Amino acid sequence: MRFIYSLLAGGAACISTAVVCAPARAAPSPSTPTGGDNPVGVAGAPLLPEQLQEIFMSACFDGAMSLPRGEETPVTLENLPPALRRRFGTPVSGNVWRLNATTPTYLFTMNFDPSPLTTPKVCGLLTQSLKIGPAMEFLGSRLNGPSISSFHQAFTGAEWLSAEGGYVALASRMDSFTVLELKILSKEQQQRALKLVPTLNQGIPAQ
């Protein structure tokens, strides 16, 4: 089933079973978790679902995040469950950290050889501590997306495209995991998206 949403502030178009488009924001800059003066959480205490959401936004969108020492453990791609490893395919490089949560939870950054269907940089969070409905609502609210609370039972995920910002953000389900992900578009992909948005706008009825 496909839904077309009305235009959002900022002129971005929305189209989906899973695609909702967000107004542009500054190009994100994924970061590595480090210790700092204003860490998220308390060392030794499992991170709460709302803290995991903030970790995703800070690490992937803001490019700056700190955690108390011991709240994250570097692991390799091979340490991830098989379904998660298959999701990543074969990155050129990347980092994965297991976070101190009550369920298996991973923060990752990956770099890929760009192609028409592959984004060169991906940053995200994989966790069993977040339900897909609240994750979609959280990400939509942060990206000024539409309210989709009435569709939570029908959707298994949603994407937000910012052609001007040069990224796609998504909330989705994979096996028992909820995935929050940020994909940085290549310059060629961004140019195609900028050309596509006016076309999408023409197909959306006025409210």
Side-chain angles (χ1 to χ4, degrees):
M1 184 179 297
R2 296 184 66 85
F3 293 88
I4 296 178
Y5 293 96
S6 60
L7 293 178
L8 304 178
C14 273
I15 188 170
S16 196
T17 50
V19 177
V20 182
C21 307
R25 58 184 289 173
S29 176
S31 69
T32 299
T34 61
D37 295 330
N38 297 298
V40 176
V42 178
L47 295 163
L48 300 175
E50 56 269 25
Q51 292 174 317
L52 296 177
Q53 294 173 152
E54 294 300 333
I55 286 171
F56 166 72
M57 295 300 295
S58 295
C60 296
F61 278 92
D62 300 333
M65 186 199 66
S66 62
L67 288 169
R69 295 188 183 278
E71 289 300 289
E72 101 290 335
T73 303
V75 298
T76 66
L77 193 60
E78 288 69 29
N79 293 126
L80 296 175
L84 304 186
R85 293 201 303 269
R86 290 193 295 270
R87 179 185 181 89
F88 293 128
T90 306
V92 174
S93 62
N95 295 286
V96 182
W97 300 267
R98 179 160 181 159
L99 302 184
N100 179 21
T102 57
T103 65
T105 298
Y106 303 91
L107 178 70
F108 65 88
T109 60
M110 298 287 171
N111 299 296
F112 298 87
D113 285 327
S115 73
L117 299 178
T118 303
T119 53
K121 296 181 181 294
V122 180
C123 178
L125 180 80
L126 306 157
T127 184
Q128 295 177 332
S129 294
L130 293 172
K131 294 182 179 180
I132 185 60
M136 290 164 60
E137 190 168 7
F138 166 79
L139 197 51
S141 68
R142 287 300 183 91
L143 300 178
N144 297 326
S147 173
I148 52 176
S149 59
S150 61
F151 299 122
H152 281 172
Q153 297 302 315
F155 280 115
T156 58
E159 290 183 297
W160 290 259
L161 166 68
S162 174
E164 292 183 16
Y167 68 84
V168 175
L170 68 88
S172 63
R173 287 289 293 173
M174 184 180 60
D175 292 341
S176 59
F177 287 85
T178 292
V179 184
L180 293 174
E181 202 165 25
L182 176 71
K183 299 181 178 182
I184 308 299
L185 303 178
S186 67
K187 290 183 178 179
E188 292 76 12
Q189 290 168 336
Q190 185 178 13
Q191 289 301 314
R192 289 199 300 272
L194 288 168
K195 293 178 181 178
L196 178 63
V197 167
T199 304
L200 294 177
N201 287 349
Q202 294 173 7
I204 297 177
Q207 293 289 307

